[in-house]
Amino acid sequence: WIISGVKSDKHSVSAATPTEEMNGAGNLMDFLDEPFPDVSTYEDFHTIDWLREKSRDTDRHRKITSKSKESLWELIKSLLDAWSGWVVMLLIGLLSGTLAGVIDLAVDWMTDLKEGVCLSAFWYSHEQCCWTSNETTFDDRDKCPQWQKWAELMTGHAEGAGAYVLNYFLYILWALLFSFLAVSLVRVFAPYACGSGIPEIKTILSGFIIRGYLGKWTLLIKTVTLVLAVSSGLSLGKEGPLVHVACCCGNLFCSLFSKYSKNEGKRREVLSAAAAAGVSVAFGAPIGGVLFSLEEVSYYFPLKTLWRSFFAALVAAFTLRSINPFGNSRLVLFYVEYHTPWYMAELVPFILLGVFGGLWGTLFIRANIAWCRRRKTTQLGKYPVLEVIAVTGITALLAYPNPYTRRSTSELISELFNDCGALESSQLCDYVNNPNMSRPVDDIPDRPAGPGVYNALWQLTLALIFKIVITIFTFGMKIPSGLFIPSMAVGAIAGRIVGIAVEQMAYHHHDWIIFKNWCRPGADCVTPGLYAMVGAAACLGGVTRMTVSLVVIMFELTGGLEYIVPLMAAAVTSKWVADAFGKEGIYESHILLNGYPYLDVRDEFTHRTLATDVMRPRRNDPPLAVLTQDSTTVEDVETLIKDTDYNGFPVVVSRESERLIGFVQRRDLTLAIKNARQKQDGVVSSSVVYFTEDAPQLPASNPQPLKLRRILNLSPFTVTDHTPMETVVDIFRKLGLRQCLVTRSGRLLGIITKKDVLRHMAQMMNQDPESIMFN
């Protein structure tokens, strides 16, 4: 829908051609006391000019500082302006933390609703229902009279084939209802609420405008449909979409302060911090959130934004902790406490899990992109509701028989991460106990696996295959869908299987040379839960290509601070392996698939081409559309605007000399002429437009001239025709340019836009240059 919505707006896309908007540097027209309200705003699907936004903010700040010395009121206003950034961060943290807490509680309740209901209070989840029960024993803490499965409630029978079939049928029915509601709400009210949102957030933070993507409707519908989508049991998570939700909160609060609402560059600083708050509440990892925003999402991240991101993430985490959605007085669902250290020899299986993570990441990205491309180019894309219903039906049908796929993915990961203590009732902890054991509870030695563990291994292997296949088809459907939790589940299952294998090998062969140094008989030396944690990090790294932020998120998520080295080893290995097959992570791949104009900072341009090879006009193209400084009439300008789609025009001394004076933006030019015709007497079609400092004295019979020097950008960015493209690409990336002009000895030769750079890079990599759809 995102793409089709853009394609249908032919005018906005066609305006993307050779030249892009370039904003003026100073205030607007001579003949206006106040700047025209629409000036300096950007069209939808256009790129902002970072340099201009920066200079406008500097001008605004200078003005406020000089005024603050005039009176006490102006001083107070300047202090309020200085503090507005922190106020926005506080509000973002409070709202995103509250929404995350509400989403967590709603997901718990609705996930359990598929299996049964609490009779004492229907709004309680299974766990909350049994907490309040006085009749629950520790061994049967999941069974309490207040909680009844649907079959027991309807027929009075809890066991038997009939009860199982009825529960199975109702489980599928609830799943279908939830997913149908989710896709219908997205389709009708907010098409932008689908997907994870991170590829679009990355594109928006790089300076692209997608109006409505961070709007109020998107925020509301994404929050509601995220609960429905996760509760339906589909293989998706809420963590990625929570970044989108937090950025919507950031955009909402930006509109309250003119400092941010009128400056797109400043707005993006706030959105970077909001992304940090989103990850903070998604994982309960405030520091990981800040690093995620810095490493993965943000394009421009000044030091000031780092502090504010830290503050927003802190407030969001504190708010979530106050709501306490998991009921464990901790920020995270996966908190674990392991009682044994790790040993050097274990680095081998950790690195093997890293290799598995890298291979799974590559497989997933290629298969998912191929499926999404098929969705775009075939009839399949026309039936999004049918696709969601079909995938949900298949998922529920296959998930119910296996206890590891029936429960929510977050609960599955939590169980896989857990260490087996004396009080665990999971079948993963069904070890053969030694009756002569007289050790403290927290130091349980390695033991032979019982039948429950072997049974669990078969079920986990089937769950692993199921998750690998179904996630490929789920991610990218027209409902909110995150990828963090499904990726972690794949890695955690693989890791737990490897962990149990190593543990049993160490128990039965403790005299082998590799186990001799660190595994004494009767000692606890292998922790399978740790392998699950390392596997989860490896698979998440393979899919997203995160490294530093991933490790920090994982140790904040689990509290396993001493296991940083295994996590680092797995994360680095998975990135190396995945990068060997392709540099793009899943988010970059979706950006390429959607054709967003995104210049990735991490891409290296190594080709030996020059600016003259990329600039327009090319050899057989018509000459560049330019304005002259003192010989163009209003009618000429209006004709040029009408006949071309270009977003700006270079201004030269004369057509003969072609010496560059500056650059004027199409939008500013249109508004200036329109305003002059309305408010300035004597301006007619034959009036000459002057971009010079002083208009010459004209005879009284001549029409009134129009002076437009104030909307002229006198310092457009220029390169020479022999500048290497490597340098040009670097300039575009680091300065966030929309276009630069190409000159030789001060004479204008052509123009290079961001779109031209992206097209050239695509050509150099043997990709379709027309895939960059926007300007």
Side-chain angles (χ1 to χ4, degrees):
W1 291 332
I2 292 173
I3 299 308
S4 60
V6 173
K7 274 189 170 170
S8 63
D9 185 2
K10 288 210 169 105
H11 179 69
S12 74
V13 178
S14 65
T17 25
T19 45
E20 305 225 338
E21 279 184 321
M22 178 71 176
N23 295 302
N27 291 326
L28 282 163
M29 303 129 230
D30 286 13
F31 44 82
L32 280 180
D33 297 330
E34 287 293 317
F36 202 73
D38 275 343
V39 165
S40 84
T41 56
Y42 298 92
E43 307 266 339
D44 204 4
F45 306 119
H46 280 214
T47 310
I48 71 165
D49 194 315
W50 286 92
L51 285 180
R52 189 202 179 177
E53 296 301 302
K54 181 107 178 98
S55 72
R56 284 179 62 230
D57 185 61
T58 308
D59 289 345
R60 187 194 64 81
H61 195 262
R62 200 181 291 127
K63 203 178 287 180
I64 287 172
T65 309
S66 63
K67 274 189 177 180
S68 67
K69 295 166 186 167
E70 294 171 11
S71 67
L72 180 64
W73 173 237
E74 291 294 341
L75 178 65
I76 292 167
K77 273 166 71 176
S78 74
L79 289 172
L80 288 171
D81 180 78
W83 275 92
S84 61
W86 296 102
V87 173
V88 170
M89 294 305 138
L90 179 70
L91 293 170
I92 289 169
L94 290 170
L95 184 57
S96 53
T98 306
L99 287 175
V102 169
I103 288 169
D104 286 333
L105 291 168
V107 164
D108 276 356
W109 175 65
M110 287 176 70
T111 302
D112 289 343
L113 193 64
K114 289 187 304 189
E115 294 193 46
V117 69
C118 186
L119 299 180
S120 55
F122 76 90
W123 58 88
Y124 278 171
S125 67
H126 188 170
E127 195 175 0
Q128 289 167 326
C129 193
C130 291
W131 276 345
T132 55
S133 171
N134 298 323
E135 299 156 59
T136 312
T137 61
F138 189 85
D139 289 336
D140 291 327
R141 58 187 180 278
D142 289 339
K143 297 186 178 78
C144 54
Q146 285 88 343
W147 178 266
Q148 286 197 354
K149 292 197 170 182
W150 291 112
E152 189 181 356
L153 194 67
M154 291 174 178
T155 63
H157 298 293
E159 304 296 328
Y164 183 83
V165 169
L166 184 57
N167 282 330
Y168 197 162
F169 174 72
L170 286 169
Y171 179 91
I172 295 171
L173 208 63
W174 278 111
L176 291 171
L177 175 68
F178 291 158
S179 62
F180 174 72
L181 278 173
V183 70
S184 302
L185 286 169
V186 167
R187 192 171 183 199
V188 175
F189 295 106
Y192 282 155
C194 67
S196 97
I198 292 180
E200 285 76 17
I201 298 291
K202 284 183 73 142
T203 310
I204 288 168
L205 289 179
S206 76
F208 195 54
I209 304 268
I210 308 178
R211 297 218 184 282
Y213 199 82
L214 301 175
K216 299 182 191 73
W217 266 113
T218 307
L219 172 61
L220 178 66
I221 299 299
K222 187 122 190 177
T223 306
V224 173
T225 53
L226 183 53
V227 173
L228 289 163
V230 176
S231 306
S232 69
L234 284 163
S235 183
L236 48 84
K238 59 184 181 298
E239 283 64 22
L242 274 172
V243 176
H244 186 185
V245 166
C247 286
C248 288
C249 297
N251 195 52
L252 180 72
F253 293 124
C254 278
S255 60
L256 304 178
F257 298 87
S258 61
K259 176 180 178 179
Y260 298 109
S261 63
K262 292 183 178 176
N263 190 302
E264 292 291 348
K266 295 294 286 179
R267 188 197 297 262
R268 274 151 183 73
E269 290 180 27
V270 172
L271 296 179
S272 289
V279 175
S280 171
V281 291
F283 290 110
I287 300 168
V290 176
L291 288 173
F292 175 82
S293 180
L294 177 60
E295 179 185 359
E296 189 63 24
V297 185
S298 297
Y299 202 80
Y300 172 65
F301 203 87
L303 195 59
K304 187 166 60 177
T305 305
L306 181 71
W307 303 331
R308 288 184 176 169
S309 302
F310 190 73
F311 178 65
L314 167 74
V315 174
F318 176 76
T319 308
L320 185 65
R321 171 71 181 74
S322 306
I323 295 169
N324 192 16
F326 305 118
N328 59 4
S329 299
R330 293 202 171 92
L331 271 173
V332 293
L333 187 59
F334 309 133
Y335 190 84
V336 290
E337 287 179 357
Y338 301 138
H339 302 291
T340 51
W342 61 277
Y343 300 90
M344 285 302 287
E346 288 183 285
L347 276 177
V348 175
F350 293 154
I351 286 169
L352 287 175
L353 283 170
V355 172
F356 171 77
L359 293 172
W360 142 251
T362 305
L363 166 76
F364 174 78
I365 290 167
R366 291 197 177 172
N368 180 251
I369 292 296
W371 178 250
C372 289
R373 187 169 282 121
R374 187 174 177 77
R375 185 188 287 129
K376 277 181 185 299
T377 54
T378 61
Q379 293 288 318
L380 182 71
K382 293 181 181 173
Y383 306 105
V385 178
L386 204 62
E387 185 193 5
V388 170
I389 293 290
V391 173
T392 308
I394 293 165
T395 304
L397 195 68
L398 296 175
Y400 189 83
N402 187 336
Y404 290 108
T405 48
R406 185 190 311 171
R407 71 188 65 181
S408 77
T409 316
S410 299
E411 285 177 19
L412 168 64
I413 295 170
S414 188
E415 183 172 334
L416 293 169
F417 281 7
N418 267 335
D419 197 9
C420 282
L423 305 176
E424 285 296 330
S425 61
S426 162
Q427 65 169 351
L428 277 169
C429 296
D430 180 26
Y431 289 91
V432 178
N433 282 315
N434 180 358
N436 303 324
M437 187 182 80
S438 58
R439 289 175 174 275
V441 165
D442 65 345
D443 187 23
I444 295 174
D446 282 348
R447 294 159 294 164
V453 174
Y454 289 113
N455 193 29
L457 284 176
W458 276 112
Q459 290 173 337
L460 283 175
T461 307
L462 290 172
L464 178 65
I465 296 164
F466 170 70
K467 286 278 180 196
I468 284 174
V469 174
I470 207 74
T471 309
I472 289 166
F473 297 100
T474 307
F475 187 70
M477 290 197 304
K478 300 303 178 195
I479 48 171
S481 53
L483 195 57
F484 286 119
I485 289 292
S487 302
M488 285 172 66
V490 168
I493 295 169
R496 187 78 187 206
I497 292 169
V498 170
I500 291 170
V502 173
E503 179 192 47
Q504 292 305 302
M505 209 186 295
Y507 176 80
H508 291 292
H509 305 283
H510 55 78
D511 52 344
W512 284 9
I513 192 159
I514 51 167
F515 299 121
K516 229 175 195 171
N517 299 331
W518 53 283
C519 257
R520 297 186 314 280
D524 180 20
C525 58
V526 177
T527 310
L530 171 60
Y531 285 74
M533 192 164 101
V534 170
C539 282
L540 187 51
V543 170
T544 61
R545 309 297 161 85
M546 296 191 296
T547 48
V548 182
S549 55
L550 171 66
V551 172
V552 175
I553 286 171
M554 286 306 294
F555 85 70
E556 281 190 277
L557 192 61
T558 55
L561 194 59
E562 61 188 287
Y563 301 107
I564 285 182
V565 173
L567 290 170
M568 287 172 76
V572 167
T573 309
S574 74
K575 182 171 169 59
W576 280 343
V577 171
D579 280 354
F581 294 97
K583 294 286 181 193
E584 288 92 19
I586 187 68
Y587 301 130
E588 290 78 20
S589 301
H590 273 270
I591 286 170
L592 280 173
L593 178 71
N594 289 337
Y596 297 134
Y598 183 74
L599 260 177
D600 198 338
V601 182
R602 289 172 289 197
D603 282 349
E604 289 180 19
F605 187 86
T606 52
H607 306 281
R608 303 189 66 174
T609 49
L610 301 175
T612 189
D613 302 324
V614 181
M615 73 176 194
R616 303 204 188 178
R618 304 277 161 77
R619 194 158 289 165
N620 301 322
D621 288 354
L624 202 62
V626 296
L627 298 171
T628 55
Q629 67 174 358
D630 55 9
S631 59
T632 313
T633 63
V634 169
E635 188 179 17
D636 294 337
V637 175
E638 287 175 333
T639 306
L640 186 63
I641 289 170
K642 197 168 114 187
D643 293 348
T644 63
D645 288 326
Y646 308 149
N647 289 325
F649 304 96
V651 179
V652 293
V653 173
S654 66
R655 291 185 188 280
E656 292 73 40
S657 75
E658 290 202 327
R659 296 217 172 267
L660 183 66
I661 301 291
F663 194 93
V664 66
Q665 188 182 321
R666 174 197 188 92
R667 190 181 176 86
D668 288 356
L669 205 54
T670 310
L671 289 168
I673 292 173
K674 181 181 169 187
N675 232 41
R677 281 189 179 277
Q678 289 171 0
K679 297 188 179 180
Q680 197 175 346
D681 292 334
V683 172
V684 292
S685 295
S686 56
S687 296
V688 178
V689 177
Y690 285 97
F691 292 101
T692 51
E693 193 74 60
D694 301 302
Q697 292 296 322
L698 297 171
S701 58
N702 284 29
Q704 178 82 16
L706 178 59
K707 291 194 290 178
L708 294 184
R709 188 172 175 87
R710 295 289 289 280
I711 65 165
L712 181 66
N713 180 4
L714 292 164
S715 55
F717 213 92
T718 58
V719 294
T720 69
D721 53 335
H722 286 291
T723 307
M725 270 312 289
E726 191 179 351
T727 308
V728 174
V729 170
D730 238 19
I731 290 168
F732 267 87
R733 271 198 202 121
K734 289 174 180 169
L735 295 179
L737 297 184
R738 307 190 66 195
Q739 75 286 302
C740 70
L741 300 170
V742 183
T743 62
R744 183 194 291 162
S745 309
R747 280 185 67 242
L748 178 68
L749 294 182
I751 189 164
I752 299 176
T753 67
K754 186 176 181 180
K755 192 176 179 185
D756 294 329
V757 172
L758 285 161
R759 275 188 171 138
H760 181 65
M761 289 173 77
Q763 273 175 327
M764 292 290 106
M765 290 187 282
N766 297 320
Q767 294 170 351
D768 174 21
E770 293 311 311
S771 63
I772 290 78
M773 299 170 74
F774 310 109
N775 56 322

